[in-house]
Amino acid sequence: MKANVGQEHTSSYYAATVNRVTNFDKLKGQKSADVCVIGAGFTGISTALHLAERGYSVHVLEANKVGWGASGRNGGQIIGGISGETRLSKGLSKDDEKRVFEMGWQGHKIIRDRVSKYNIKCDLKQGYVDVAIKPKHVRDLENYAKVLDEYNFDFGQELLNQDEVRQTLGTEKYIGGLKINYNGHLHPLNLCVGEADAARALGAVISEKSPVIKITHGVKPVVETQHGSVEADFVVLAGNAYHFIEPKLRGAVLPVKSFIIGSEPLSSELVNKINPQDLAVCDPNYILEYFRLSADKRLLFGRRFPYFGDNPEIIKNALIPKMLKVYPELKNTNFEFGWGGTIGVTVNRVPQLGRISDNIFYSQGYSGHGVNVTHLAGQIMADIVGGTAERFDVFSKIKPIIFPGQHLFRNQLVSLGMLYYRLIDAL
Ligand SMILES: Cc1cc2nc3c(=O)[nH]c(=O)nc-3n(C[C@H](O)[C@H](O)[C@H](O)COP(=O)(O)OP(=O)(O)OC[C@H]3O[C@@H](n4cnc5c(N)ncnc54)[C@H](O)[C@@H]3O)c2cc1C
């Protein structure tokens, strides 16, 4: 597999508006730390910050830049729940089922606490709506609202009928919705960089442009880059869909591309028409569409399509017609940004948290649902390093299913998968 190493940020809206471009030194020479984390996306940085807060010495090695991967490119939507939650809860008692359900919302609190504690400027907003396209989706949302009620969760949830969703989002496309105020949205790259700065202030070391090329297992694993090494008591693998080092994880996640376009700032008239409450929006299709406004009132609209490159013009040309089906009034709006990123998707959709050995752990495969869950995962990784396995074991008991030949046929597999899911969405 071709490795993405030593790269600058992609041409995203987020990179263009990041508070600060990080430029941390490459790893040079022999170092040691309690924990070496590989990958500086949300999983790696969240883990590092949890560990640093608990007094561990941490060294993060990143092949490119902090937030270079999916974490600095995503829709920025903080959505409750864990992908594959039903599978995760299978066979559990009612109480444990509720515990898993609660875990699916714990990342929200971690994010909010950090934004407030470390004063991270990342345009954090409350408010989100799941929209329905077919009657089945309306029933699903009604059932989900019932579950929230049953568990006594008060997240400001409110079912919307067709008229209400039309008023809320200024579009005819949806026939219902479930608004959840506890969900929300933010500038993901600014969150990631802010958390990285917080971890560094607590003593963590982050080396950028330092792709890991070898891990020597043992009582004290040694993690090597071209110009240096880190000897540690524990290693946490957080490379997710961009991971290219540990053979045992090869084929465990399918790298699926998703793309986003970003408009010029919209007039207040348009904003009042299409999203006056400033909500993040997500549809329920497998090939789903998601959108929201940025802090400077650009429409950020995302979707998958079968393309594996990064050309902004190709991305805009593919996504603008889809966006116009939601908001035809934006036909004369200029779209200034188009970018893509890679999502780690697992066969059963359940995130993979597990161990390669007694002192090497991994967390990956949030299947498109990672802003919230990576923050939970970082806390669980810090727990397992400290010897507490309670929440870790909920995930680690489900062994990763490997996509055979994924590294050889990844694009063909993704295209086939998209065709299959497009058929399901059409039914
Ligand atoms: C376009 C898009 C939209 C999305 N929208 C949403 C959304 O709205 N809401 C949501 O919840 N989720 C969303 N997601 C998913 C979410 O972004 C991911 O689940 C999450 O960011 C994963 O974080 P991560 O840290 O595990 O991986 P990444 O952020 O991908 O980070 C992995 C890092 O590891 C590094 N790395 C890999 N191998 C090595 C190595 N050998 N040595 C050193 N470094 C290495 C990479 O360079 C990379 O920086 C979206 C994803 C994409 C791509």
Side-chain angles (χ1 to χ4, degrees):
M1 192 192 304
K2 190 172 156 268
N4 291 301
V5 295
Q7 293 185 7
E8 295 301 315
H9 286 297
T10 190
S11 58
S12 69
Y13 161 74
Y14 303 125
T17 54
V18 69
N19 293 332
R20 180 175 99 68
V21 178
T22 56
N23 194 12
F24 302 137
D25 289 343
K26 280 182 189 168
L27 176 70
K28 285 198 185 122
Q30 293 178 338
K31 312 282 175 196
S32 64
D34 295 333
V35 186
C36 178
V37 176
I38 303 175
F42 283 145
T43 302
I45 292 296
S46 179
T47 302
L49 181 49
H50 281 294
L51 287 165
E53 284 173 333
R54 296 177 193 187
Y56 289 87
S57 66
V58 188
H59 199 131
V60 182
L61 298 173
E62 164 55 48
N64 301 285
K65 293 184 93 63
V66 169
W68 173 89
S71 301
R73 305 168 185 229
N74 60 57
Q77 306 205 358
I78 314 169
I79 306 170
I82 300 170
S83 170
E85 205 166 301
T86 322
R87 173 80 185 77
L88 210 51
S89 305
K90 207 170 160 197
L92 296 183
S93 68
K94 266 270 167 246
D95 280 354
D96 286 345
E97 210 177 274
K98 185 174 180 208
R99 250 172 239 130
V100 170
F101 189 81
E102 282 169 348
M103 276 204 279
W105 296 84
Q106 285 166 358
H108 290 50
K109 179 160 165 36
I110 296 168
I111 293 171
R112 288 198 169 105
D113 287 352
R114 284 179 171 175
V115 166
S116 144
K117 182 171 177 189
Y118 299 110
N119 193 19
I120 301 174
K121 301 210 174 344
C122 62
D123 310 325
L124 176 61
K125 298 263 172 64
Q126 294 224 149
Y128 164 90
V129 58
D130 272 310
V131 288
I133 299 171
K134 301 174 195 169
K136 177 193 176 300
H137 302 148
V138 175
R139 288 194 296 278
D140 289 346
L141 293 181
E142 287 169 351
N143 287 336
Y144 193 61
K146 268 189 211 142
V147 174
L148 290 175
D149 288 346
E150 254 168 45
Y151 284 146
N152 239 350
F153 275 36
D154 185 7
F155 290 158
Q157 60 268 27
E158 182 192 349
L159 282 164
L160 305 178
N161 65 28
Q162 187 160 11
D163 273 352
E164 288 164 334
V165 87
R166 191 186 295 130
Q167 277 164 27
T168 308
L169 296 176
T171 171
E172 301 291 325
K173 184 159 179 188
Y174 309 114
I175 62 169
L178 175 63
K179 195 174 143 196
I180 301 183
N181 272 336
Y182 195 57
N183 285 335
H185 55 103
L186 47 68
H187 187 305
L189 183 54
N190 278 336
L191 174 63
C192 202
V193 170
E195 291 180 296
D197 284 340
R200 289 180 81 233
L202 292 171
V205 178
I206 302 176
S207 302
E208 293 185 319
K209 300 201 173 172
S210 303
V212 170
I213 50 175
K214 187 175 172 197
I215 305 172
T216 306
H217 296 207
V219 180
K220 270 190 173 274
V222 179
V223 180
E224 283 177 50
T225 66
Q226 196 184 349
H227 302 289
S229 65
V230 179
E231 186 184 68
D233 295 321
F234 296 94
V235 175
V236 175
L237 305 174
N240 207 344
Y242 293 97
H243 181 92
F244 50 88
I245 183 72
E246 175 55 53
K248 283 191 187 153
L249 295 183
R250 187 174 286 160
V253 297
L254 187 62
V256 172
K257 292 272 281 191
S258 187
F259 300 90
I260 301 181
I261 50 173
S263 74
E264 61 188 329
L266 303 180
S267 66
S268 45
E269 204 184 357
L270 266 175
V271 168
N272 282 335
K273 177 154 193 299
I274 69 167
N275 199 343
Q277 297 177 38
D278 205 357
L279 304 171
V281 185
C282 200
D283 84 19
N285 278 335
Y286 285 103
I287 314 276
L288 59 88
E289 291 178 354
Y290 49 96
F291 51 93
R292 68 180 183 96
L293 296 171
S294 63
D296 58 356
K297 306 301 172 204
R298 298 164 189 271
L299 179 70
L300 304 181
F301 180 95
R303 193 185 201 273
R304 292 182 198 163
F305 73 102
Y307 172 60
F308 302 98
D310 286 314
N311 183 323
E313 295 313 310
I314 293 177
I315 296 166
K316 286 188 228 172
N317 287 339
L319 263 62
I320 288 173
K322 306 288 182 196
M323 178 279 304
L324 287 176
K325 290 196 172 144
V326 186
Y327 292 124
E329 56 273 69
L330 265 59
K331 67 175 182 306
N332 295 322
T333 300
N334 184 28
F335 274 76
E336 295 177 354
F337 297 97
W339 72 94
T342 309
I343 297 175
V345 177
T346 64
V347 172
N348 54 15
R349 301 292 170 122
V350 179
Q352 297 166 347
L353 281 71
R355 45 167 77 74
I356 301 282
S357 64
D358 286 347
N359 50 14
I360 303 183
F361 306 108
Y362 59 89
S363 179
Q364 60 182 20
Y366 313 97
S367 303
H369 208 118
V371 173
N372 152 31
V373 185
T374 46
H375 285 81
L376 165 75
Q379 197 177 52
I380 297 177
M381 287 292 111
D383 286 352
I384 191 69
V385 164
T388 303
E390 197 185 342
R391 292 185 299 174
F392 178 84
D393 284 345
V394 171
F395 292 89
S396 69
K397 68 175 197 286
I398 301 176
K399 296 293 165 223
I401 302 167
I402 303 295
F403 290 97
Q406 182 268 110
H407 59 296
L408 300 174
F409 305 112
R410 62 197 311 210
N411 292 356
Q412 290 90 329
L413 277 170
V414 172
S415 299
L416 260 176
M418 282 200 62
L419 189 64
Y420 169 75
Y421 285 122
R422 222 178 297 145
L423 283 171
I424 292 194
D425 287 340
L427 291 177

